[in-house]
PDB file of all heavy atoms in Angstrom:
ATOM      1  N   GLY A  65       7.070  -1.856   6.715  1.00  0.00           N
ATOM      2  CA  GLY A  65       8.456  -1.457   6.923  1.00  0.00           C
ATOM      3  C   GLY A  65       8.856  -1.446   8.388  1.00  0.00           C
ATOM      4  O   GLY A  65       9.994  -1.788   8.737  1.00  0.00           O
ATOM      5  N   LEU A  66       7.914  -1.091   9.267  1.00  0.00           N
ATOM      6  CA  LEU A  66       8.210  -1.074  10.704  1.00  0.00           C
ATOM      7  C   LEU A  66       8.504  -2.458  11.243  1.00  0.00           C
ATOM      8  O   LEU A  66       9.103  -2.590  12.316  1.00  0.00           O
ATOM      9  CB  LEU A  66       7.034  -0.462  11.478  1.00  0.00           C
ATOM     10  CG  LEU A  66       6.879   1.047  11.372  1.00  0.00           C
ATOM     11  CD1 LEU A  66       5.578   1.491  12.037  1.00  0.00           C
ATOM     12  CD2 LEU A  66       8.074   1.773  11.976  1.00  0.00           C
ATOM     13  N   PHE A  68      10.568  -4.448   9.914  1.00  0.00           N
ATOM     14  CA  PHE A  68      11.976  -4.718   9.611  1.00  0.00           C
ATOM     15  C   PHE A  68      12.934  -3.758  10.307  1.00  0.00           C
ATOM     16  O   PHE A  68      14.057  -4.119  10.599  1.00  0.00           O
ATOM     17  CB  PHE A  68      12.224  -4.649   8.106  1.00  0.00           C
ATOM     18  CG  PHE A  68      11.487  -5.703   7.337  1.00  0.00           C
ATOM     19  CD1 PHE A  68      10.363  -5.380   6.607  1.00  0.00           C
ATOM     20  CD2 PHE A  68      11.906  -7.024   7.350  1.00  0.00           C
ATOM     21  CE1 PHE A  68       9.676  -6.355   5.902  1.00  0.00           C
ATOM     22  CE2 PHE A  68      11.223  -8.000   6.656  1.00  0.00           C
ATOM     23  CZ  PHE A  68      10.106  -7.661   5.928  1.00  0.00           C
ATOM     24  N   THR A  69      12.508  -2.524  10.509  1.00  0.00           N
ATOM     25  CA  THR A  69      13.392  -1.524  11.095  1.00  0.00           C
ATOM     26  C   THR A  69      12.567  -0.479  11.830  1.00  0.00           C
ATOM     27  O   THR A  69      11.415  -0.217  11.459  1.00  0.00           O
ATOM     28  CB  THR A  69      14.266  -0.844  10.025  1.00  0.00           C
ATOM     29  OG1 THR A  69      15.123   0.124  10.651  1.00  0.00           O
ATOM     30  CG2 THR A  69      13.440  -0.148   8.956  1.00  0.00           C
ATOM     31  N   SER A  70      13.173   0.118  12.845  1.00  0.00           N
ATOM     32  CA  SER A  70      12.507   1.215  13.545  1.00  0.00           C
ATOM     33  C   SER A  70      12.928   2.564  12.955  1.00  0.00           C
ATOM     34  O   SER A  70      12.471   3.603  13.415  1.00  0.00           O
ATOM     35  CB  SER A  70      12.835   1.165  15.039  1.00  0.00           C
ATOM     36  OG  SER A  70      14.234   1.284  15.223  1.00  0.00           O
ATOM     37  N   ASN A  71      13.769   2.533  11.937  1.00  0.00           N
ATOM     38  CA  ASN A  71      14.246   3.751  11.298  1.00  0.00           C
ATOM     39  C   ASN A  71      13.147   4.300  10.394  1.00  0.00           C
ATOM     40  O   ASN A  71      13.035   3.950   9.217  1.00  0.00           O
ATOM     41  CB  ASN A  71      15.516   3.461  10.498  1.00  0.00           C
ATOM     42  CG  ASN A  71      16.133   4.712   9.922  1.00  0.00           C
ATOM     43  OD1 ASN A  71      15.461   5.698   9.664  1.00  0.00           O
ATOM     44  ND2 ASN A  71      17.433   4.671   9.698  1.00  0.00           N
ATOM     45  N   ARG A  72      12.326   5.166  10.953  1.00  0.00           N
ATOM     46  CA  ARG A  72      11.163   5.699  10.231  1.00  0.00           C
ATOM     47  C   ARG A  72      11.573   6.524   9.005  1.00  0.00           C
ATOM     48  O   ARG A  72      10.893   6.492   7.993  1.00  0.00           O
ATOM     49  CB  ARG A  72      10.295   6.519  11.183  1.00  0.00           C
ATOM     50  CG  ARG A  72       9.687   5.654  12.279  1.00  0.00           C
ATOM     51  CD  ARG A  72       8.916   6.476  13.310  1.00  0.00           C
ATOM     52  NE  ARG A  72       8.462   5.651  14.403  1.00  0.00           N
ATOM     53  CZ  ARG A  72       7.313   4.989  14.420  1.00  0.00           C
ATOM     54  NH1 ARG A  72       6.518   5.055  13.387  1.00  0.00           N
ATOM     55  NH2 ARG A  72       6.974   4.256  15.465  1.00  0.00           N
ATOM     56  N   THR A  73      12.686   7.215   9.121  1.00  0.00           N
ATOM     57  CA  THR A  73      13.157   8.009   7.979  1.00  0.00           C
ATOM     58  C   THR A  73      13.511   7.107   6.808  1.00  0.00           C
ATOM     59  O   THR A  73      13.164   7.407   5.661  1.00  0.00           O
ATOM     60  CB  THR A  73      14.387   8.850   8.392  1.00  0.00           C
ATOM     61  OG1 THR A  73      14.024   9.666   9.516  1.00  0.00           O
ATOM     62  CG2 THR A  73      14.858   9.719   7.248  1.00  0.00           C
ATOM     63  N   ILE A  75      12.294   4.149   6.196  1.00  0.00           N
ATOM     64  CA  ILE A  75      11.036   3.606   5.666  1.00  0.00           C
ATOM     65  C   ILE A  75      10.368   4.643   4.764  1.00  0.00           C
ATOM     66  O   ILE A  75       9.951   4.338   3.642  1.00  0.00           O
ATOM     67  CB  ILE A  75      10.092   3.190   6.814  1.00  0.00           C
ATOM     68  CG1 ILE A  75      10.685   2.025   7.602  1.00  0.00           C
ATOM     69  CG2 ILE A  75       8.711   2.840   6.282  1.00  0.00           C
ATOM     70  CD1 ILE A  75       9.970   1.740   8.913  1.00  0.00           C
TER      71      ILE A  75
END
Side-chain angles (χ1 to χ4, degrees):
L66 286 173
F68 296 105
T69 180
S70 60
N71 186 333
R72 295 175 186 272
T73 303
I75 294 168

